[in-house]
Amino acid sequence: MTPVTVAQLTQHVGQRVTLQGWLYNMRSSKKVHFLELRDGSGTVQCIVGLEDVGPELFELAGTLTQESSLELVGEVKAHPKRAGVVEVAVSALTLLGGSKDYPISPKEHGTDFLMDHRHLWLRSSRQHAILRVRHAIIQAVRAFFDQRDFTLIDAPIFTPSACEGTSTLFETDYHDDKAYLTQSGQLYMEAAAAAFGKAYCFGPTFRAEKSKTRRHLAEFWMVEPEVAFMDLEGDMQLAEALLCHVVAHVLETRRPELERLERELAPLERVKAPFPRISYREAIELLQREGHPASFGDDFGGDEETVISKHFDRPVIVHRYPAAMKAFYMKRDPAAPELALCMDVLGPEGYGEIIGGGQREDALDTLLASIDHHQLPREAFEWYLDLRRYGSFPHAGFGLGIERTVSWICGLSHVRETIPFPRLLNRLSP
Ligand code: 4AD
Ligand code: MG
């Protein structure tokens, strides 16, 4: 009999099936064991009755421990009281792999302990729910761009130079030379935009951030669209449409997971265009009104972003930050050259920045001056400058951090649970 998954069981009511999975939990009485079997697709209650299986199997079932792997055969039955729920009346059972002293018990564990056991922690229902939401977010992101005729162009991981500033580069040996793990695929997407018009990359990116916050990972996944002949306004519209699409897809396909996470749904249901937009200057004024010491030229950290984003009932777009605090590639606002044509999207409910992007400098001389001003090695950027030498074009794009998006949509307090195996300032294993 080919095994079925727990998720498929409702289609097999009245039939005998084979199931394979792990023991999540068990309750027993004198004549019945109630096994909760988990197989990755769901959990189901499996009933082992003394009279149905005989004393030998009944005794074996009684000795099963948490996370033992099993194969069982049984009849699928509708739950006597709960509509739409099924259970399995077991007739045969085989222990495949024992599990002695499984370290994660239903009692409370500390974060470090759980992080050390991340490879096992993934089996718990909460982590399972988060990573299922993560998958749905990634599906939605890719579908969004694919449906809009973007071409997926993979950016390299080893790079010869910085994109987001030199302070957060991971350096590594590269055949007697130096290389850096990529901070962003953006520069390559700019080349791709000239070749494909609309391009995006999706992959891991790396930041040697010394920040130990609830928002920073050393390795995180970013999706980065880049569009030829698009300006800052178009960029903001694209970011807004993407977030609306992603949240709607998660609400449509991951409700059970959001419920398991006890995520309040109303704030997600409000994620509809248009998003409020404020300039950096207005954001400074807002902070000052809130009694936050902030003045023009200050960068926003998590605290400031939290104050700003708590002010709005949906994501807010903050645009036109001072150029001086931004990366070398940003185009300046012709109407106010001290400002960059950039934007950040801050997630609501205090989540802060989830998207950063803007319009790119397209004038060769201005870009050259900016590279010198940022004390970046010109040779490493020659190829990038070629994009301005051969048919330069206005263009814009952004990067959306997957983990910050997962954190916000799931309503989590830290990004460490949003990625299967987090890389943090003080954590490289498992
Ligand atoms: O704002 P950032 O640094 O922008 C860029 O890298 C641009 N080159 C993207 C582009 O325009 N193509 O990063 C973009 C997003 C942030 O908004 C945030 O969501 C995420 O990447 N991010 C991080 N996520 C987790 N841990 C970190 N250390 C992150 N740093 C940035
Ligand atoms: Mg940013």
Side-chain angles (χ1 to χ4, degrees), residues 77-185:
K77 296 187 165 170
H79 191 282
K81 290 188 192 124
R82 294 161 61 200
V85 176
V86 294
E87 50 187 33
V88 176
V90 176
S91 49
L93 186 155
T94 318
L95 173 64
L96 300 176
S99 167
K100 202 166 164 265
D101 302 327
Y102 186 69
I104 304 180
S105 59
K107 72 165 198 237
E108 290 275 311
H109 294 285
T111 303
D112 270 340
F113 179 87
L114 290 170
M115 279 293 170
D116 287 341
H117 294 86
R118 183 66 176 162
H119 50 293
L120 301 176
W121 192 23
L122 293 179
R123 303 179 187 191
S124 76
S125 69
R126 186 183 148 80
Q127 300 309 310
H128 186 270
I130 294 169
L131 293 180
R132 293 263 305 157
V133 172
R134 177 187 169 101
H135 179 205
I137 288 171
I138 293 171
Q139 269 181 331
V141 160
R142 300 189 65 138
F144 177 88
F145 290 115
D146 296 343
Q147 283 158 12
R148 282 164 179 74
D149 294 326
F150 281 68
T151 302
L152 174 72
I153 300 294
D154 302 308
I157 304 289
F158 285 126
T159 61
S161 56
C163 176
E164 291 303 313
T166 49
S167 67
T168 64
L169 283 173
F170 278 111
E171 190 180 307
T172 176
D173 281 337
Y174 193 79
H175 303 304
D176 303 328
D177 216 339
K178 267 192 220 166
Y180 307 96
L181 298 185
T182 184
Q183 293 169 310
S184 158

Side-chain angles (χ1 to χ4, degrees), residues 341-354:
L341 289 176
C342 65
M343 58 107 189
D344 279 358
V345 185
L346 311 185
E349 301 166 84
Y351 275 93
E353 180 189 342
I354 48 182

Side-chain angles (χ1 to χ4, degrees), residues 178-233:
K178 267 192 220 166
Y180 307 96
L181 298 185
T182 184
Q183 293 169 310
S184 158
Q186 178 196 319
L187 307 187
Y188 299 97
M189 289 309 101
E190 292 185 49
F196 300 89
K198 297 193 269 186
Y200 76 101
C201 62
F202 174 59
T205 49
F206 306 86
R207 305 273 170 101
E209 314 242 26
K210 293 284 183 228
S211 334
K212 204 176 160 183
T213 77
R214 61 196 183 92
R215 297 172 185 179
H216 287 91
L217 290 160
E219 178 179 305
F220 64 97
W221 287 66
M222 184 153 56
V223 60
E224 296 180 90
E226 192 72 30
V227 181
F229 308 108
M230 184 171 76
D231 61 6
L232 177 63
E233 172 61 30

Side-chain angles (χ1 to χ4, degrees), residues 211-426:
S211 334
K212 204 176 160 183
T213 77
R214 61 196 183 92
R215 297 172 185 179
H216 287 91
L217 290 160
E219 178 179 305
F220 64 97
W221 287 66
M222 184 153 56
V223 60
E224 296 180 90
E226 192 72 30
V227 181
F229 308 108
M230 184 171 76
D231 61 6
L232 177 63
E233 172 61 30
D235 205 31
M236 295 195 279
Q237 283 172 16
L238 188 67
E240 181 178 270
L242 171 64
L243 288 181
C244 292
H245 175 86
V246 168
V247 171
H249 180 75
V250 173
L251 282 171
E252 204 181 296
T253 61
R254 292 293 187 265
R255 259 187 209 247
E257 284 80 2
L258 294 174
E259 276 159 24
R260 196 170 321 158
L261 296 167
E262 295 173 2
R263 177 61 162 113
E264 212 192 320
L265 297 183
L268 295 178
E269 280 156 356
R270 280 195 296 268
V271 179
K272 299 257 160 67
F275 295 169
R277 294 179 188 187
I278 59 172
S279 67
Y280 168 86
R281 249 185 244 281
E282 288 165 329
I284 291 283
E285 285 161 18
L286 188 158
L287 287 168
Q288 289 169 345
R289 278 201 306 277
E290 291 287 308
H292 246 259
S295 54
F296 187 88
D298 292 350
D299 202 353
F300 297 152
D303 292 347
E304 289 81 9
E305 287 173 7
T306 297
V307 173
I308 298 165
S309 75
K310 280 207 163 140
H311 234 79
F312 300 92
D313 73 345
R314 62 195 74 197
V316 54
I317 306 181
V318 183
H319 56 84
R320 294 181 171 79
Y321 288 67
M325 63 195 231
K326 287 291 179 183
F328 75 97
Y329 53 71
M330 299 252 179
K331 188 174 177 68
R332 285 170 186 257
D333 186 353
E338 74 282 11
L339 303 178
L341 289 176
C342 65
M343 58 107 189
D344 279 358
V345 185
L346 311 185
E349 301 166 84
Y351 275 93
E353 180 189 342
I354 48 182
I355 286 181
Q359 201 173 328
R360 323 304 189 186
E361 182 51 70
D362 45 37
L364 178 62
D365 291 344
T366 316
L367 190 56
L368 267 172
S370 180
I371 287 173
D372 291 345
H373 179 77
H374 282 82
Q375 298 179 311
L376 294 167
R378 200 186 272 202
E379 322 76 67
F381 292 94
E382 280 302 332
W383 70 268
Y384 182 66
L385 292 162
D386 272 354
L387 306 175
R388 280 72 183 168
R389 290 187 183 110
Y390 304 109
S392 193
F393 56 112
H395 58 290
F398 61 79
L400 166 121
I402 293 293
E403 290 73 18
R404 295 213 187 152
T405 308
V406 175
S407 190
W408 159 50
I409 293 182
C410 289
L412 309 181
S413 56
H414 199 292
V415 285
R416 66 183 156 230
E417 292 177 58
T418 62
I419 183 164
F421 295 97
R423 299 292 173 249
L424 299 157
L425 188 56
N426 51 7

